[in-house]
Amino acid sequence: MTHARLTPLALSLPASVPFVGPETQERARGAVFDARLGANENVFGPSPMARSAMADADIWMYGDPESHDLIAALAAHLRTDPSHIMVGEGIDGLLGYLVRLCVGAEDAVVTSDGAYPTFNYHVAGFGGVLHKVPYNDDHEDPMALFAKAAEVDAKLVYIANPDNPMGTWHEGDTLVCALDMLPEGCLLVLDEAYIDCAPPGTAPDLPFDDPRLIRMRTFSKAYGLAGARVGYALGHPDLITAFNKVRNHFGMNRAAQAGALAALEDDAHLAHVLDQIDTARRRIAEIALDNGLAPLPSAANFVAIDCGRDGAFAKAVLDGLIARGIFVRMPFAAPQNRCIRISCGTPENLDAFAAALPKALAEAKG
């Protein structure tokens, strides 16, 4: 019988994905969620200019494989050179290309235990070996990460700032100082997916072509284009050029390019969304406090809520919310898994969450 002959590496990997999507959960429960508060999407939506540009895109044509216009606009927006920028299919896609470029069988990579799992998924998929360090007071620990990188001769070390899943953050100056400890030959992968939601000074004040790091940013969060899959990397021109060796050159569809380009031009809508995110973060914190729980300070478009016990209790609360039509997620690793994570939502979304949480808590305690 003829069958596909998978590589030994592929045969060794589990048939799993980093996240189970809300649609999968809706099919399993036989009903749609009343409030979609688990994927850190921007429920407030993209700019009307972006919607119009995407609707008008000549989708019968492939997208520009060089994303020329979008890269030029990003360069002007960030006051940098186009040679420092690579556009790709969201940060997830760019992480996959970066790992493919840098990581081979048995190469060491360092991350935090419980940090963004899609990065780990890519490392495993190319045969790398993950080394993990714990969070420090619900923050990723740059000094511990860099020390581990030196210990294992890591090629990459991953940090998200602001962090997912905790929403905590470091001042940019903290990362600049910590970079002095980054070992020679190791690249810092700085995931800045939530940088638009963060306080001023969160991004390190370093040139985008600093060869010690590559930054990953996205239109999925503040710009409201998660479904379009538009991300971009900022780094040294030699590394940016190397992406052309492995990327899917027609991976960026024409409508997504048009939408991102238009979104970048609508500063008023971005400011409006950021105000709504701030309002929602404060409302989520109030709901948590009203129920005797502790919200963590957040610089992202979600809030982690400390449920006050262990991961099993937090999972029971999460299950109770899902059973009541509220889609949320939680961190995967202890001790951060004592929390649930609530994405910013509309007032109606958060009213539904506020109504369901006391019942889910009572059920978990009972």
Side-chain angles (χ1 to χ4, degrees), residues 7-349:
T7 67
L9 174 58
L11 287 169
S12 73
L13 295 172
S16 60
V17 296
F19 296 103
V20 177
E23 294 85 1
T24 302
Q25 296 184 46
E26 286 173 337
R27 286 189 287 271
R29 64 192 295 267
V32 299
F33 287 114
D34 298 318
R36 183 168 165 137
L37 300 173
N40 301 342
E41 297 147 328
N42 176 358
V43 303
F44 309 112
S47 159
M49 292 168 56
R51 291 179 186 270
S52 177
M54 295 176 79
D56 292 342
D58 288 321
I59 203 65
W60 62 270
M61 290 189 285
Y62 292 113
D64 175 7
E66 296 180 358
S67 297
H68 175 274
D69 292 351
L70 180 54
I71 287 177
L74 283 165
H77 179 73
L78 297 169
R79 299 179 182 178
T80 191
D81 192 271
S83 66
H84 303 158
I85 304 171
M86 177 57 65
V87 166
E89 306 94 316
I91 288 178
D92 291 355
L94 289 164
L95 287 173
Y97 295 140
L98 178 67
V99 172
R100 183 178 177 186
L101 283 170
C102 297
V103 177
E106 304 303 316
D107 283 340
V109 175
V110 172
T111 187
S112 301
D113 188 18
Y116 190 52
T118 300
F119 177 71
N120 305 352
Y121 173 82
H122 288 309
V123 172
F126 288 100
V129 178
L130 277 167
H131 299 267
K132 300 180 180 180
V133 302
Y135 278 64
N136 182 0
D137 191 26
D138 294 325
H139 290 70
E140 293 205 62
D141 189 339
M143 297 303 289
L145 286 161
F146 296 166
K148 175 62 74 172
E151 176 188 328
V152 301
D153 189 24
K155 283 191 167 182
L156 302 176
V157 58
Y158 173 92
I159 297 176
N161 191 52
D163 179 63
N164 180 16
M166 304 312 293
T168 51
W169 71 101
H170 291 288
E171 294 290 334
D173 288 347
T174 300
L175 295 180
V176 172
C177 293
L179 271 170
D180 290 339
M181 298 300 295
L182 185 73
E184 187 72 22
C186 182
L187 181 70
L188 171 60
V189 185
L190 182 58
D191 186 335
E192 295 182 321
Y194 300 95
I195 198 68
D196 297 304
C197 307
T202 302
D205 186 13
L206 292 169
F208 292 130
D209 62 347
D210 189 314
R212 297 173 296 175
L213 76 159
I214 184 167
R215 308 180 199 215
M216 303 288 186
R217 295 185 179 179
T218 185
F219 284 85
S220 293
K221 307 304 179 185
Y223 288 99
L225 291 171
R229 311 309 300 129
V230 187
Y232 57 101
L234 296 158
H236 190 277
D238 290 348
L239 179 56
I240 294 300
T241 299
F243 277 82
N244 290 319
K245 299 173 183 284
V246 298
R247 70 182 177 92
N248 178 357
H249 287 256
F250 287 102
M252 294 304 304
N253 75 75
R254 182 170 290 270
Q257 292 176 5
L261 187 60
L264 200 61
E265 297 172 355
D266 195 346
D267 292 337
H269 182 78
L270 177 62
H272 175 65
V273 165
L274 294 177
D275 182 65
Q276 290 179 298
I277 288 172
D278 182 63
T279 298
R281 285 189 302 216
R282 288 187 277 108
R283 176 81 196 286
I284 294 167
E286 290 170 0
I287 294 169
L289 292 169
D290 287 345
N291 285 274
L293 307 179
L296 274 62
S298 173
N301 71 338
F302 61 86
V303 177
I305 296 175
D306 188 341
C307 291
R309 300 192 189 182
D310 59 10
F313 179 75
K315 180 62 164 56
V317 175
L318 179 144
D319 289 342
L321 289 169
I322 287 176
R324 290 168 175 81
I326 313 298
F327 168 58
V328 299
R329 284 196 172 122
M330 62 183 288
F332 296 140
Q336 284 69 45
N337 67 350
R338 71 189 190 282
C339 300
I340 57 174
R341 193 195 67 190
I342 313 300
S343 302
C344 291
T346 64
E348 294 76 17
N349 294 154

